[in-house]
Amino acid sequence: MENVFDLVNDFYSQDGEWNSVLRQSYVENFLRTKLWQGASEDELFDAWENITIFCIYLGNSGNFLGDMTKDDFIDCLSWCARNVSGFELTASRAKAFLHTIGDLYTHLQRKRVITSDKAPKEAEKVLLADKQLRILDQDGSLLPGYEQYGICLTPDLSAKIFLNIGERIDALMQYMYVFFSDKKYQQDLERANFIFSYIKILLGGDAQSEQFIKEEISKNFWNYFFFEYRMIENDKTPIQYFYDVFSETDFKQRDKVNKDILYELLQTEFVFFTVKSKTEEGLYSCVNVFTKEDYLLLLPLDETLDIKNMVFAAHIFYNQSMIMDCMQGMYLPGRSLTHFMQNMQQAKSLAAVRCGGELSWSDFIKRFPVFSRHLAMLKDVFISSQDIVDLYKNYQPAPLLDDAVAQKIAAFMRKYSFSFYDITLAQQMWSDYLVSSQKDAAGILMPENWAAGVIYAFVQTIGAYLYKPQQIALMCGGVSPQELLRIYEDLNKKLCLTVHDPRYLNEESLFFLLLIK
């Protein structure tokens, strides 16, 4: 376990600019003095945490150490409660913070670094009269009657600050891992594993690709599962599902840091980027290969790695400044990168058919993340989609219905573990058919027959599911296979269905498109 002086050194090593706020030597000298006076290890850690928070406030407010007034310290506690995750402003928390900084000020005055140590003590007298928190509530907002303190409040940051964010994320990810290891999520885990391993089929399944898949799953599967995979029952990512389940229960009883971190992680985006240069501060200047957005990232890159012609894939979060632990690097020189981007554009054009021809890169990669990952690793595929896109360029999806047939489609498909997204696509096909055939949903008899015909038409267009008419008929309560096929033929004729039809495209269908040479 690191001691407090290791933490101090890490803090200042990451950004030397902190020395202009409060010198490292002053902090270390102060903590050593506390140690000689008999402070325990826990007390030293608590003192350092309060000093860290104080430095963060000074760095963001523009105030100087020796110029802080009583009102500035009230602003400091207000700002920290609003902007530092886990800093819950109670009377005891405010007292501990002001005592630490008060002791630091006394120490610095003795060393003649500052001229007065009165400000923290004066702030405590005002804020904690009768040992009760005054002026501010627990969220850092001004209480009624104290509006005069709001004149010079330091503006909030765009994202909350987390102390020890790496450790907190590791603990949270471990908790999520245990949560989703429950047997009721086994089907989702197996499906996610199958989809994530699909590159094995695309690469040919030789010994080399087997080893590659094993390493890939070991390094990146859980990040894929938490942030990209869509759950069968609700089409949510597991992290969104986890947040929804626990935000109204567990997090009311736990410290709010986990909820804050989860909220930040919900903004995580899977991106492809190249590295342009490294800054003097040790950050990497990067650019998104599709959107051309610029990022400044702290990357775990080996200094000996030749990053020229490398494209990296990673989950970026925290105001597009941090990445998750695992990062995937791919060598894509010149033509290979151009080929990859052309194929991605072709695939995006197919997916955009359902959206009236408009689909952002971010939304495409969110819906087809594994396809995007795997496409970057393939060297000899070529996707040509323009003819198909032109065929459906005027497509406008009909409003989704909730009639008897749509309900039967959902009931039958859900029973056989089709995903929520697949069910929506099949229901879309039904709605489109009613518009194109000018039929009235209220006049449809034997909805189970129509549901069976739609489901069979859907699996035929996807081109990835090996269901025979008899199997679909049995799935739908034993309807007539002949009636199913009659309805399928009518659907096929009215909608001009094709294999890998972009109007009803899912990720599995895109995968099979890659197998067409």
Side-chain angles (χ1 to χ4, degrees):
M1 178 179 176
E2 291 181 308
N3 63 40
V4 71
F5 297 101
D6 292 328
L7 297 180
V8 173
N9 190 59
D10 289 344
F11 179 77
Y12 283 95
S13 296
Q14 288 177 11
D15 189 349
E17 290 297 316
W18 289 120
N19 273 294
S20 65
V21 173
L22 175 62
R23 288 188 187 176
Q24 181 177 353
S25 58
Y26 295 163
V27 174
E28 291 177 339
N29 192 272
F30 168 69
L31 292 173
R32 286 194 179 93
T33 300
K34 298 278 286 184
L35 182 61
W36 293 331
Q37 291 171 350
S40 67
E41 188 174 50
D42 286 343
E43 288 172 333
L44 290 176
F45 279 118
D46 289 342
W48 168 238
E49 181 172 305
N50 285 325
I51 292 170
T52 302
I53 293 171
F54 184 50
C55 285
I56 291 169
Y57 167 77
L58 291 175
N60 285 279
S61 68
N63 291 339
F64 293 99
L65 183 73
D67 296 336
M68 290 283 289
T69 65
K70 163 179 62 71
D71 290 353
D72 290 329
F73 271 100
I74 293 172
D75 175 52
C76 173
L77 287 165
S78 171
W79 186 88
C80 290
R82 299 193 313 270
N83 292 275
V84 179
S85 180
F87 191 92
E88 190 171 348
L89 190 55
T90 61
S92 59
R93 188 71 175 89
K95 181 179 179 180
F97 178 83
L98 292 171
H99 274 202
T100 295
I101 306 305
D103 288 348
L104 174 66
Y105 265 50
T106 299
H107 174 81
L108 294 177
Q109 186 191 34
R110 288 173 183 162
K111 299 292 184 180
R112 299 183 180 180
V113 175
I114 58 176
T115 58
S116 174
D117 66 347
K118 292 180 180 178
K121 299 168 187 174
E122 291 174 346
E124 182 178 350
K125 289 179 182 178
V126 175
L127 272 171
L128 299 173
D130 301 322
K131 299 182 180 179
Q132 299 296 316
L133 185 65
R134 299 170 65 243
I135 303 177
L136 303 171
D137 64 16
Q138 289 192 350
D139 295 324
S141 301
L142 291 168
L143 293 170
Y146 295 100
E147 288 77 10
Q148 69 270 26
Y149 288 99
I151 297 173
C152 298
L153 286 179
T154 300
D156 288 343
L157 300 174
S158 58
K160 286 200 172 186
I161 293 170
F162 299 94
L163 303 180
N164 307 318
I165 187 170
E167 295 174 14
R168 293 183 186 277
I169 287 177
D170 287 345
L172 186 59
M173 296 285 275
Q174 182 61 32
Y175 185 36
M176 289 174 60
Y177 171 79
V178 172
F179 176 84
F180 284 108
S181 295
D182 188 282
K183 64 181 180 181
K184 67 181 177 180
Y185 303 110
Q186 186 63 33
Q187 193 171 41
D188 271 307
L189 284 171
E190 289 175 355
R191 178 171 173 263
N193 195 298
F194 174 77
I195 294 172
F196 197 70
S197 303
Y198 217 85
I199 188 69
K200 176 179 176 181
I201 299 174
L202 299 174
L203 289 177
D206 56 21
Q208 185 177 359
S209 63
E210 290 273 2
Q211 181 60 29
F212 173 81
I213 292 300
K214 185 176 180 180
E215 293 174 1
E216 179 72 3
I217 291 176
S218 174
K219 289 189 300 182
N220 293 312
F221 173 76
W222 283 105
N223 274 357
Y224 156 69
F225 180 76
F226 290 147
F227 298 107
E228 301 166 35
Y229 173 72
R230 299 299 183 107
M231 298 180 72
I232 295 170
E233 184 177 346
N234 48 44
D235 200 45
K236 293 180 180 180
T237 59
I239 193 169
Q240 179 69 65
Y241 174 81
F242 182 80
Y243 181 87
D244 292 345
V245 166
F246 281 90
S247 61
E248 297 303 323
T249 54
D250 255 23
F251 291 121
K252 285 185 178 178
Q253 300 153 15
R254 296 169 179 268
D255 71 289
K256 294 182 179 179
V257 178
N258 282 337
K259 186 173 181 180
D260 288 342
I261 291 178
L262 259 181
Y263 180 78
E264 286 300 326
L265 291 179
L266 283 175
Q267 319 309 314
T268 296
E269 187 173 2
F270 182 60
V271 300
F272 293 86
F273 62 89
T274 55
V275 177
K276 295 190 294 185
S277 60
K278 188 175 183 180
T279 68
E280 292 181 359
E281 295 78 19
L283 299 173
Y284 288 89
S285 175
C286 308
V287 61
N288 188 310
V289 299
F290 298 114
T291 67
K292 306 307 177 186
E293 287 179 271
D294 291 317
Y295 312 118
L296 270 180
L297 300 170
L298 184 63
L299 301 178
L301 287 176
D302 188 332
E303 293 290 340
T304 62
L305 179 66
D306 182 6
I307 59 176
K308 185 180 179 182
N309 296 320
M310 290 285 286
V311 173
F312 296 94
H315 294 93
I316 296 182
F317 72 109
Y318 199 48
N319 216 20
Q320 296 185 332
S321 65
M322 299 181 68
I323 68 165
M324 297 303 293
D325 289 341
C326 295
M327 185 173 66
Q328 186 179 25
M330 293 153 288
Y331 181 65
L332 291 173
R335 290 184 179 179
S336 294
L337 178 58
T338 301
H339 185 61
F340 165 59
M341 295 180 69
Q342 287 174 341
N343 275 335
M344 283 285 282
Q345 181 62 62
Q346 292 289 321
K348 185 168 82 74
S349 296
L350 281 173
V353 166
R354 290 200 68 236
C355 311
E358 298 292 330
L359 183 65
S360 71
W361 279 111
S362 175
D363 287 340
F364 172 71
I365 293 173
K366 282 178 183 176
R367 175 50 64 185
F368 304 103
V370 180
F371 172 85
S372 303
R373 283 174 179 267
H374 293 353
L375 186 60
M377 303 174 201
L378 300 172
K379 309 297 183 184
D380 58 350
V381 298
F382 178 73
I383 300 174
S384 179
S385 65
Q386 195 56 52
D387 290 345
I388 301 175
V389 171
D390 288 344
L391 184 64
Y392 299 109
K393 64 182 179 182
N394 296 319
Y395 170 69
Q396 291 295 327
L400 281 174
L401 299 176
D402 189 33
D403 64 317
V405 175
Q407 292 172 11
K408 290 285 186 182
I409 289 170
F412 293 147
M413 293 181 75
R414 191 178 296 119
K415 190 165 59 175
Y416 278 77
S417 300
F418 280 88
S419 71
F420 180 94
Y421 188 62
D422 279 357
I423 293 170
T424 302
L425 293 173
Q427 290 174 327
Q428 183 66 66
M429 182 182 289
W430 169 242
S431 296
D432 290 345
Y433 168 76
L434 287 177
V435 171
S436 66
S437 63
Q438 299 183 336
K439 291 183 185 294
D440 182 6
I444 296 293
L445 302 176
M446 303 295 288
E448 59 273 15
N449 287 345
W450 286 93
V454 171
I455 294 170
Y456 183 66
F458 172 71
V459 299
Q460 290 296 101
T461 63
I462 292 302
Y465 304 143
L466 302 178
Y467 285 104
K468 295 179 180 179
Q470 293 80 1
Q471 293 171 308
I472 299 294
L474 185 62
M475 178 193 303
C476 298
V479 302
S480 164
Q482 291 75 23
E483 184 64 11
L484 176 156
L485 287 171
R486 184 193 68 77
I487 292 172
Y488 163 69
E489 291 298 337
D490 193 36
L491 284 162
N492 197 24
K493 180 179 178 181
K494 292 290 194 302
L495 292 176
C496 300
L497 298 173
T498 60
V499 181
H500 313 299
D501 195 309
R503 295 170 294 180
Y504 317 108
L505 197 70
N506 66 6
E507 194 161 34
E508 289 91 330
S509 187
L510 269 185
F511 281 143
F512 270 77
L513 196 62
L514 292 178
L515 294 175
I516 301 173
K517 303 298 184 183

